[in-house]
Amino acid sequence: MTATEPTHRGRARIAEPGEGIGLDELALATRNHGMPLEALRYDVTPPGLHYVLTHYDIPAVDPATWSLEVGGAVGRPLRLTLEDLQRRPAVTSRVLLECAGNGRARFEPRPVSQPWLLEAVGTAEWTGTPLAPLLEEAGIADGAVDVVFTGADHGVERGVEQDYARGLPLAEAMRPEVLLVWGMNGVPLPPQHGAPLRLLVPGWYGMAHVKWLTRVEVLDRPFDGFQNATAYRLKVDAGDPGEPVTRIAPRALLNPPGWPDFMTRERFLRPGPVPLTGRAWSGRAPVTGVDVSTDGGATWSAAELAPADPAHPFAWRAWQYPWTAEPGTWELLVRATDAMGSQPTEQVWNRQGMANNLVQRVPVTVLG
Amino acid sequence: MTATEPTHRGRARIAEPGEGIGLDELALATRNHGMPLEALRYDVTPPGLHYVLTHYDIPAVDPATWSLEVGGAVGRPLRLTLEDLQRRPAVTSRVLLECAGNGRARFEPRPVSQPWLLEAVGTAEWTGTPLAPLLEEAGIADGAVDVVFTGADHGVERGVEQDYARGLPLAEAMRPEVLLVWGMNGVPLPPQHGAPLRLLVPGWYGMAHVKWLTRVEVLDRPFDGFQNATAYRLKVDAGDPGEPVTRIAPRALLNPPGWPDFMTRERFLRPGPVPLTGRAWSGRAPVTGVDVSTDGGATWSAAELAPADPAHPFAWRAWQYPWTAEPGTWELLVRATDAMGSQPTEQVWNRQGMANNLVQRVPVTVLG
């Protein structure tokens, strides 16, 4: 694979050593947007600060004429309007979402795709109705394996023209916390978050939460569409089929202290007590601890982690650590641990830049 | 100026020929965000799709303890709470904003700064109270020249630590359409748009609409702060003092037809009638026409421009052009003209990449 091969021949391109971000990556970075990390201060990410990743274009869906089809290996196919869905029992859940590609732009070598640094996260209050009772009403056929969710967003990816579609194992689709969502933070879903209806699969990376839903199809075989079979897999070699990307690995992020330089984003602060704060989460197991290093990773200390809120098991959790900043340059690191392990301090590379949870490093200069 | 000189020595850096986007530019591109151009379909940009440019961090301002100071060369300095302001006459205006750096990333050579392609725009319904009566109540001193607006956002820019502050000529500040704004699209300003209060100077590029306002100060001399005297000037040579950046130059943008390739953002469509649509605006004079070329600029045809809406003189205007797409590759261009002139088809370069309104070019492939 060389830098001159096009990306639409079925393989993601890997940047050459030292190659700057290209206009193609920039076009994605200016369309999609991350959550500026100072927004870690909010329990619920305010509208417009939540990360957004759209594979193709944001489609124009008219909620008045839109309907959702539930079909495939079911006994009683359904077609539901938004009103039909909104007459069903409604639930509001505070759930963190993170893009599977978060942190990709710092991988060496860099997979060429949406070039996230660390800001592809957000937590919202999502309102919708549980999916499982709807599938039960449709009558899931014996031998059903996957449920495929198709959106109205249409485009081409590595030569494959498609409506965005993702398959989810039936057992995951039947989890009680999986919702069909029409509301975000108390108002109707905005266009970029999937209006009029999206899927919410708490604990999974963003690619599973299909937006602009038009069809739910039960399959009696594993789904082999592009987004499951080709994209969103952990591969080291291009020929490797790879493991599927599923649940969110643990991560902690620091609300960067002090103030930035406009261009370099270097950070400065005054000496004295500096309460370091941030958020931590994991989609695969409960977070058990957060550790902070103020000396580049040489030594680590436990941060104070807010207790898990039983009402919001899929939200992020606040942490804090009291630091006394002394003049000089420091590198702040933060590392989450869940019941399955800790964030790595060295990169664990894969060729699509997926599910990378390398610890964050924040260099700061404390003024004299 | 070479690529290795730091940017914080008072001069903006210019990228070397062929130099890719750097991590510093990417850090800005992932924090700030543009309006995906398919959102040109909306008369009013939905929340979260409007462009955002923050020089430093989004500050945390508590509206309960916040107040606005009006002082300087006035007879009766004022201090107003948000409630005080909201008891004054309220106005809602539909106004387009555009970042002065829009289009910068396509300049050759490229000024190193926030690397916008063409998406740093948006139109919102802004609610606030006119500034002029407030200044009159404060009693503007004889000999007043400029009014300086200072925000709560704090950072460093080319070595200068500062709260973001911009001066506006007194005559501009006294225009009846200049507002102190607390609402956006019917809800309180979100944090990234300047909560609890921002300035709105219809017709001017975004840098004038100071967010997170804390102080309005009348000066009896021209303001010589960083954002007026150093940044936001049209300079070709670094030593050139340059003309100030003020009002928005004319621009038309196309809502790109068809569907995109995820990575390359190349666009594809099927042959047949394709209504080309978009928006056009100018902050310096009324838009008088929009022209479209479907052959790379060889020939141009007039688009149909929606009539100016007297209720919204500072909003963008819709345009449309009926195109019959035939198989092949085409380059679509769109060009706005106002009473002062047309958009250029060749770049008019300046070293900060400001006020660049080069025509948009959209290559498309019409399938056979």
Side-chain angles (χ1 to χ4, degrees):
Chain A
M1 192 77 200
T2 72
T4 54
E5 286 181 48
T7 56
H8 49 77
R9 296 261 173 81
R11 293 182 179 186
R13 189 169 80 76
I14 309 298
E16 296 295 313
E19 179 186 329
I21 303 290
L23 274 179
D24 51 355
E25 292 166 286
L26 179 62
L28 285 167
T30 54
R31 280 181 55 76
N32 297 308
H33 70 87
M35 185 192 77
L37 294 188
E38 63 269 30
L40 288 164
R41 73 170 72 110
Y42 305 108
D43 287 337
V44 174
T45 310
L49 289 177
H50 195 288
Y51 97 90
V52 173
L53 185 285
T54 307
H55 277 239
Y56 315 124
D57 285 353
I58 299 166
V61 183
D62 180 356
T65 58
W66 171 93
S67 65
L68 179 71
E69 196 184 340
V70 181
V74 296
R76 294 170 296 282
L78 304 171
R79 184 175 284 280
L80 301 114
T81 65
L82 192 57
E83 281 191 349
D84 293 336
L85 288 160
Q86 290 176 342
R87 273 194 294 265
R88 301 178 63 87
V91 175
T92 295
S93 295
R94 184 180 300 178
V95 173
L96 166 127
L97 294 190
E98 181 175 8
C99 184
N102 203 13
R104 174 186 290 129
R106 291 198 188 278
F107 254 4
E108 292 182 6
R110 183 181 79 250
V112 173
S113 183
Q114 164 69 39
W116 295 121
L117 293 166
L118 274 175
E119 59 293 302
V121 296
T123 290
E125 303 266 9
W126 304 98
T127 299
T129 192
L131 173 67
L134 203 65
L135 290 177
E136 281 164 359
E137 283 173 39
I140 303 161
D142 290 344
V145 171
D146 274 2
V147 184
V148 183
F149 301 87
T150 303
D153 43 334
H154 184 86
V156 186
E157 213 158 336
R158 301 189 219 161
V160 182
E161 188 179 335
Q162 58 193 287
D163 290 342
Y164 185 87
R166 280 277 308 179
L168 197 63
L170 179 64
E172 289 289 334
M174 294 301 286
R175 285 167 51 212
E177 57 267 26
V178 172
L179 303 181
L180 299 174
V181 161
W182 57 76
M184 183 179 184
N185 298 343
V187 296
L189 275 183
Q192 71 273 30
H193 288 288
L197 195 79
R198 75 175 301 169
L199 184 66
L200 188 78
V201 188
W204 283 54
Y205 281 113
M207 76 284 159
H209 308 241
V210 178
K211 293 182 279 192
W212 311 292
L213 259 186
T214 59
R215 184 168 163 80
V216 177
E217 185 175 9
V218 179
L219 290 193
D220 57 10
R221 61 192 186 283
F223 179 61
D224 62 358
F226 180 88
Q227 301 297 343
N228 284 69
T230 303
Y232 296 109
R233 298 191 85 89
L234 300 170
K235 314 178 192 186
V236 172
D237 298 312
D240 182 0
E243 288 297 311
V245 176
T246 58
R247 284 174 177 265
I248 298 172
R251 191 192 299 277
L253 288 178
L254 172 68
N255 178 0
W259 60 88
D261 179 278
F262 168 70
M263 190 62 230
T264 65
R265 308 314 291 177
E266 290 176 272
R267 300 197 67 91
F268 303 89
L269 53 159
R270 303 205 197 286
V274 176
L276 299 180
T277 63
R279 305 279 170 176
W281 61 88
S282 169
R284 65 183 194 191
V287 173
T288 54
V290 171
D291 297 293
V292 170
S293 172
T294 58
D295 56 10
T299 61
W300 294 84
S301 304
E304 184 189 337
L305 179 65
D309 181 345
H312 301 300
F314 295 98
W316 53 24
R317 287 162 67 186
W319 60 262
Q320 56 176 317
Y321 177 80
W323 182 42
T324 302
E326 293 178 13
T329 59
W330 307 91
E331 191 178 38
L332 312 179
L333 280 71
V334 55
R335 181 179 67 190
T337 299
D338 70 11
M340 294 171 66
S342 291
Q343 288 183 251
T345 52
E346 302 293 332
Q347 74 173 13
V348 182
W349 191 87
N350 64 81
R351 59 176 292 117
Q352 294 185 345
M354 300 284 190
N356 156 32
N357 66 335
L358 181 66
V359 295
Q360 179 190 21
R361 290 173 180 266
V362 181
V364 298
T365 296
V366 180
L367 303 176
Chain B
M1 193 78 199
T2 74
T4 53
E5 285 182 49
T7 56
H8 50 75
R9 295 261 173 81
R11 292 181 179 187
R13 191 170 78 78
I14 310 298
E16 296 295 314
E19 179 186 330
I21 303 290
L23 274 178
D24 51 355
E25 292 165 286
L26 179 62
L28 286 167
T30 55
R31 281 181 55 76
N32 296 309
H33 70 86
M35 186 193 76
L37 294 188
E38 63 269 31
L40 288 164
R41 74 170 73 109
Y42 305 108
D43 286 337
V44 174
T45 310
L49 290 177
H50 195 287
Y51 97 90
V52 173
L53 186 285
T54 307
H55 278 240
Y56 315 124
D57 286 352
I58 299 166
V61 182
D62 179 355
T65 58
W66 171 94
S67 64
L68 179 72
E69 196 184 341
V70 181
V74 297
R76 293 170 295 281
L78 304 171
R79 183 174 285 279
L80 300 116
T81 65
L82 193 56
E83 281 191 349
D84 294 336
L85 288 161
Q86 290 176 342
R87 273 194 295 265
R88 301 178 64 87
V91 175
T92 294
S93 294
R94 184 179 301 178
V95 173
L96 167 127
L97 294 190
E98 181 174 9
C99 183
N102 202 15
R104 175 187 290 129
R106 291 199 188 279
F107 254 3
E108 292 183 4
R110 183 180 79 251
V112 173
S113 184
Q114 164 69 39
W116 296 122
L117 293 166
L118 274 175
E119 60 293 302
V121 296
T123 290
E125 303 265 8
W126 304 98
T127 299
T129 192
L131 172 67
L134 203 65
L135 290 177
E136 281 163 1
E137 283 173 37
I140 304 160
D142 289 344
V145 172
D146 274 2
V147 184
V148 183
F149 300 88
T150 302
D153 43 335
H154 184 85
V156 186
E157 212 158 338
R158 303 190 218 159
V160 181
E161 188 178 334
Q162 57 193 289
D163 289 343
Y164 185 87
R166 280 277 308 179
L168 197 63
L170 179 64
E172 289 289 333
M174 295 300 286
R175 286 168 49 213
E177 58 267 24
V178 172
L179 303 180
L180 298 174
V181 161
W182 57 76
M184 184 180 183
N185 297 343
V187 297
L189 275 182
Q192 71 273 31
H193 289 288
L197 195 79
R198 75 176 300 171
L199 185 66
L200 188 78
V201 189
W204 283 56
Y205 282 113
M207 76 284 160
H209 308 242
V210 177
K211 293 183 279 193
W212 312 291
L213 259 186
T214 59
R215 184 167 162 79
V216 177
E217 185 174 8
V218 178
L219 291 194
D220 58 8
R221 59 191 187 283
F223 178 61
D224 62 358
F226 180 88
Q227 301 296 343
N228 285 69
T230 304
Y232 295 108
R233 298 192 84 87
L234 301 170
K235 314 178 192 187
V236 173
D237 299 312
D240 181 1
E243 288 297 309
V245 176
T246 59
R247 285 175 177 264
I248 299 172
R251 191 192 297 278
L253 288 178
L254 172 68
N255 179 0
W259 61 87
D261 178 278
F262 168 70
M263 191 62 229
T264 64
R265 308 314 291 179
E266 289 175 275
R267 301 197 67 92
F268 302 91
L269 53 158
R270 303 205 197 288
V274 176
L276 300 180
T277 63
R279 305 278 169 177
W281 61 87
S282 169
R284 65 183 193 190
V287 173
T288 54
V290 172
D291 297 292
V292 170
S293 172
T294 58
D295 57 10
T299 61
W300 294 84
S301 303
E304 184 188 337
L305 178 66
D309 181 346
H312 302 300
F314 295 99
W316 53 23
R317 286 163 67 185
W319 60 263
Q320 57 177 318
Y321 177 79
W323 181 42
T324 302
E326 293 178 12
T329 57
W330 308 91
E331 191 177 39
L332 312 179
L333 281 70
V334 56
R335 181 179 66 191
T337 299
D338 71 10
M340 293 171 66
S342 292
Q343 288 183 249
T345 52
E346 301 293 333
Q347 74 173 14
V348 181
W349 191 86
N350 63 83
R351 60 177 291 118
Q352 294 185 346
M354 300 285 188
N356 155 31
N357 67 336
L358 181 66
V359 295
Q360 180 190 21
R361 290 174 180 267
V362 181
V364 299
T365 296
V366 180
L367 302 177

